[in-house]
Amino acid sequence: MLLLACSVHGQLSSDFYQSTCPRLQRIVRSATQQAIDKDPIMGAAMLRLFFHDCFVNVREATATISSSGCDASVLLDDTPTSVGEKGSPANFNSLRGFEVIDDIKAQVEAACPATVSCADILALAARHSVSVLRGPRWQVPLGRRDARTAASPAEAIANLPPADMEVPGLIGIFASKGLDAKDMVALSGAHTIGQTRCGVYRARIYNDKNVDPNFAAIRKNNCPPFGDDNKWTPLDLQTPTRFDNKYYRNLLGGRGILHSDQALYGGGQVDGLVKSYSANNSAFFADFALAMTKMGNISPLTGANGEIRLNCRKAN
């Protein structure tokens, strides 16, 4: 995986901070563990933040960079003159854990001032979160720098896959980021942890035909036909805070909570991958780790591009 990462972006390496911030991994690991111990949902929150950061990569017609993939632009607060991706309908009331990144950044700054980017901290926090929740481990290539500006709300919507998307659309949007169908199915397995809101999955449990009726009845108890749009529920009721392959087993039984999840199984082109991961947790872990490494290499800012933010919420 490290060889793959280096072949894509030679300026990233797993030992990038070995001499400049040797305690980095220990600091991030400890802070991430403490955050999850306090609130188990923070593990999924870190993973979701990283995904939403990397997938919004926008280059304007003038070739100036608005947001360049894994660049921590999702962490930037709005300013009096600019509304960014954090407040986009795709992110607002959906992304959580910003204060966890703030805490990790403060600890890293105390140990290694003006050295480690928020983008790399987010990448490490996502990896450690999966590990803490008993998922796979992988080496994280480092050396990303931070964006000075965020993408617009519209750009975030255009780059992030919606919960009602079908497989061809999912394959297309992942392909636009340099990820293939196997990466898409493996990364979708992140929905084995975390939560979703009633307004996001209501149409699935009330309207879809390929949903297990008992599953739908249970879910309807927490999501009425009208109202309670922002009421949260676990994506996986069985092991909501354990990273495992239950997600794929649920799809085989019509128990995917999001339309875009269940779309992965049911006579389509990625059925074989879903079956494989449902039967082989090790295969899922291996492909997920590889896909996360590839996703972490979506157009990072390196070298003299971007900056090392001192506060992850605002540009220097």
Side-chain angles (χ1 to χ4, degrees):
M1 286 183 286
L2 178 58
L3 289 174
L4 169 67
C6 290
S7 69
V8 177
H9 290 286
Q11 296 181 70
L12 297 185
S13 66
S14 59
D15 61 355
F16 187 85
Y17 299 107
Q18 186 171 342
S19 60
T20 57
C21 194
R23 294 179 54 227
L24 173 62
Q25 298 269 3
R26 198 179 323 152
I27 293 170
V28 179
R29 184 183 302 111
S30 175
T32 303
Q33 178 76 64
Q34 290 176 18
I36 294 174
D37 287 345
K38 184 178 180 180
D39 182 358
I41 202 63
M42 282 301 111
M46 294 298 99
L47 188 55
R48 185 172 175 81
L49 271 177
F50 185 54
F51 178 87
H52 280 231
D53 183 43
C54 291
F55 255 59
V56 181
N57 61 315
V58 180
R59 291 183 182 271
E60 298 174 355
T62 58
T64 56
I65 297 171
S66 171
S67 173
S68 185
C70 307
D71 60 3
S73 58
V74 74
L75 303 178
L76 288 168
D77 287 339
D78 293 343
T79 71
T81 59
S82 175
V83 178
E85 61 203 85
K86 181 184 281 189
S88 165
N91 291 329
F92 185 68
N93 276 343
S94 173
L95 297 184
R96 293 183 279 183
F98 296 102
E99 69 284 354
V100 174
I101 298 298
D102 292 340
D103 177 60
I104 298 174
K105 177 63 171 174
Q107 293 185 46
V108 171
E109 282 297 311
C112 318
T115 300
V116 182
S117 68
C118 299
D120 278 342
I121 288 173
L122 183 52
L124 287 171
R127 189 275 303 274
H128 288 311
S129 292
V130 172
S131 178
V132 168
L133 298 176
R134 293 187 278 183
R137 300 180 182 182
W138 61 94
Q139 282 194 325
V140 178
L142 302 168
R144 301 169 188 80
R145 289 169 66 84
D146 299 321
R148 295 187 174 95
T149 59
S152 71
E155 288 166 338
I157 292 174
N159 279 268
L160 292 166
D164 60 352
M165 185 168 273
E166 302 289 348
V167 169
L170 291 169
I171 290 176
I173 199 168
F174 275 73
S176 72
K177 314 300 178 185
L179 302 169
D180 60 24
K182 179 182 282 189
D183 298 322
M184 183 271 289
V185 177
L187 289 172
S188 295
H191 285 174
T192 189
I193 57 174
Q195 298 180 333
T196 186
R197 292 175 294 124
C198 172
V200 175
Y201 69 90
R202 177 182 286 117
R204 161 78 180 140
I205 60 173
Y206 283 95
N207 301 331
D208 283 4
K209 304 301 182 184
N210 61 343
V211 58
D212 175 79
N214 293 327
F215 170 81
I218 292 171
R219 293 297 193 167
K220 288 175 182 178
N221 290 332
N222 201 56
C223 184
F226 305 98
D228 284 342
D229 282 6
N230 292 319
K231 192 172 184 179
W232 293 89
T233 192
L235 287 159
D236 173 15
L237 289 173
Q238 298 168 289
T239 54
T241 58
R242 178 171 179 170
F243 198 94
D244 56 27
N245 65 344
K246 292 288 198 312
Y247 167 82
Y248 301 102
R249 297 181 187 181
N250 286 335
L251 298 186
L252 297 184
R255 297 186 298 275
I257 192 169
L258 303 181
H259 181 92
S260 58
D261 287 332
Q262 193 59 54
L264 300 183
Y265 186 78
Q269 64 192 96
V270 295
D271 277 17
L273 286 168
V274 173
K275 287 182 179 179
S276 173
Y277 294 153
S278 71
N280 191 331
N281 195 62
S282 295
F284 164 47
F285 277 18
D287 287 349
F288 181 84
L290 182 58
M292 284 292 290
T293 305
K294 290 174 67 175
M295 186 179 76
N297 283 307
I298 296 177
S299 306
L301 299 174
T302 59
N305 295 314
E307 65 182 15
I308 303 297
R309 263 183 246 150
L310 302 182
N311 180 337
C312 291
R313 292 177 179 263
K314 63 182 182 180
N316 295 342

